[in-house]
């Protein structure tokens, strides 16, 4: 009994001591703002009912997120299961009309290209692979990214490339002192025969219209572009002012020969500007406001010459795996371009991205005659020349801006470097990866592989979808 009594006395003494200590610390702690805040938290936020409600809300939002992810996954799987083709196969050419197509692919001896319509209503990208033109040892590659319709890109692909092809044949014969008889007809016959070879191989590549002039008869113009032009009046107008047709002045072949070598930089500049003048005249006749970028690469021996108009882009992977830019985008917000536009009386405005007169997201292009008439947009190409002995490249990547919207130069080089052993050198994989990353534009990727290169033996002229 005595032990039990002592325990009770000690217990009561301990409780009394703790109560006094608690009152003492409380009186000190809550004299400060932090102490008062803690008291409020303890009285209101740490109550059991508040904690239960908060936990319930967190669990509810986690549930919604999980359900959303699960439903998207389920719907994706159901659509794939119910569809006769899967997501990758859907990107391949579909049987039917031109508008049904989803993807285009082409394989050369040492190059390959893959293109998809992607999330756009129409395919406006065009590409060219022409290895070892007429056994001259010169190879030509090009990407045209159209906007406002297919007219300008088709015109550049059909006319500019044909003219370059002819000039390469003529200049090589002239340089070697050989007499060229009716070179234009011979070159056209050769191109057509090779085009027929491609058509037979993939008949679904056949165009709905055979020439750009035929295309001009049925205008295909982006309604959004027309709406932007209407907003820009009276500064920009679609109306065609009467102008005298520009006559093309014949340039002697000797002007392109410098110390026994062909000056491809001058050739590309002259041909792009000449084609643009003719394109603008053809567009005015049908009031077609379409335009196109142009990225053209010429390869001869160890020399690489790249001409760029717009925001398609080329990148080289050198022997050490570094990304070397082959071109630089023409964007309205660049200081050089903005000064030029403002000097011409124009302006740039932000409409999702910086645009010339609030309309066009690239400051240089072929076509676009309403902006070309004001000199707000020009077609002058930037020319970069590379000695491949200095870089010893593994491969080149040429692509429309649909790729560069989701990939940096370095990311694209790293991606292709790991996939060069694929049949198309990774062109298809890179194109589809850009699509899966969310690119909303047409996407075209062209890979030129220098490992085990066969450029010297290839003699087939090929292009995208004939």
């Amino acid at each position: 009994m005595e032990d039990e009594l002592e325990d009770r006395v000690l217990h009561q003494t301990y409780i009394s001591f703790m109560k006094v200590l608690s009152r003492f610390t409380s009186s000190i702690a809550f004299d400060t703002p932090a102490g008062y805040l803690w008291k409020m938290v303890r009285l209101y936020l740490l109550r059991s009912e508040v904690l239960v409600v908060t936990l319930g809300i967190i669990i509810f939002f986690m549930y919604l997120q999980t359900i959303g992810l699960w439903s998207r996954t389920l719907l994706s799987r159901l659509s794939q299961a119910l569809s006769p083709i899967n997501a990758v196969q859907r990107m391949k050419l579909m049987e039917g009309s031109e508008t049904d197509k989803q993807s285009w692919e082409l394989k050369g001896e040492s190059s390959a290209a893959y293109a998809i319509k992607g999330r756009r209503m129409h395919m406006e990208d065009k590409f060219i692979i022409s290895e070892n033109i007429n056994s001259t040892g010169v190879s030509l590659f090009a990407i045209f990214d159209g906007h406002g319709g297919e007219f300008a890109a088709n015109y550049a692909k059909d006319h500019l490339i044909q003219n370059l092809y002819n000039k390469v044949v003529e200049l090589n014969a002239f340089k070697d002192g050989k007499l060229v008889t009716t070179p234009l007809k011979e070159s056209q016959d050769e191109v057509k025969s090779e085009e027929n070879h491609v058509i037979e191989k993939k008949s679904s590549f056949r165009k709905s219209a055979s020439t750009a002039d035929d295309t001009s008869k049925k205008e295909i113009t982006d309604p959004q572009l027309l709406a932007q032009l209407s907003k820009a009046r009276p500064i920009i107008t679609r109306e065609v002012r009467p102008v005298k047709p520009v006559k093309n002045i014949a340039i002697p072949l000797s002007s392109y020969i410098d110390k026994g070598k062909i000056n491809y930089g001058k050739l590309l500049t002259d041909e792009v500007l000449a084609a643009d003048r003719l394109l603008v005249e053809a567009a005015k006749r049908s009031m077609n406001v379409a335009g196109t970028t142009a990225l053209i690469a010429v390869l001869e021996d160890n020399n690489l010459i790249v001409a760029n108009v717009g925001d398609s882009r080329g990148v080289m992977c050198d022997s050490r795996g570094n990304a070397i830019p082959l071109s630089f985008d023409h964007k309205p917000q660049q200081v050089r371009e903005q000064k030029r536009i403002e000097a011409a009386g124009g302006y740039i405005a932000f409409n999702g991205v910086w645009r010339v007169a609030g309309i066009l997201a690239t400051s240089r292009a072929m076509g676009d005659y309403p902006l070309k008439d004001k000199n707000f947009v020009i077609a002058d190409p930037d020319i970069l020349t590379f000695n491949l002995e200095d870089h010893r490249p593994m491969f080149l990547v040429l692509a429309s801006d649909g790729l560069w919207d989701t990939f940096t130069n370095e990311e694209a080089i790293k991606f292709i470097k790991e996939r060069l052993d694929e049949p198309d050198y990774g062109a298809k994989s890179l194109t589809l990866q850009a699509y899966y990353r969310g690119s909303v534009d047409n996407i075209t990727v062209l890979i030129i592989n220098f490992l085990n290169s066969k450029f010297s033996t290839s003699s087939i002229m090929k292009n995208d979808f004939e």
Side-chain angles (χ1 to χ4, degrees), residues 153-166:
N154 275 331
Y155 191 99
K157 179 176 73 69
D158 292 338
H159 294 266
L160 172 57
I161 295 301
Q162 180 67 67
N163 291 340
L164 283 171
Y165 186 98
N166 295 339

Side-chain angles (χ1 to χ4, degrees), residues 8 64 106 136 147 149 152 186 188 219 239-240 315 318 388 464:
R8 287 181 180 179
L64 289 180
L106 188 62
T136 58
H147 48 263
E186 289 177 359
Q188 285 180 332
E219 180 182 346
E239 297 171 1
V240 179
V315 185
D318 68 10
L388 299 185
D464 51 351

Side-chain angles (χ1 to χ4, degrees), residues 223-271:
Q224 293 182 355
L225 186 58
L226 292 179
Q228 290 171 345
L229 281 170
S230 299
K231 291 179 182 177
R233 293 175 67 92
I235 298 176
I236 308 295
T237 176
R238 193 181 173 203
E239 297 171 1
V240 179
R241 297 176 300 176
V243 292
K244 294 181 179 179
V246 180
K247 293 183 179 180
N248 286 327
I249 301 174
I251 301 176
L253 294 179
S254 58
S255 65
Y256 296 111
I257 305 298
D258 183 15
K259 297 179 181 179
K261 294 185 178 180
I262 299 173
N263 187 340
Y264 286 103
K266 175 176 171 53
L267 175 64
L268 288 169
T269 299
D270 288 349
E271 291 299 327

Side-chain angles (χ1 to χ4, degrees), residues 9 17 22 40 75-76 85 96 144 159 163 166-167 184 188 215 229-230 254 266 276 346 355 363 387 390 395 397 442:
V9 171
F17 175 76
S22 176
M40 293 299 99
L75 288 174
S76 176
I85 52 177
F144 302 104
H159 294 266
N163 291 340
N166 295 339
K167 278 292 175 62
L184 179 61
Q188 285 180 332
T215 308
L229 281 170
S230 299
S254 58
K266 175 176 171 53
D276 180 61
R355 299 175 183 272
S363 56
N387 187 334
D390 297 335
F395 58 88
V397 179
N442 303 141

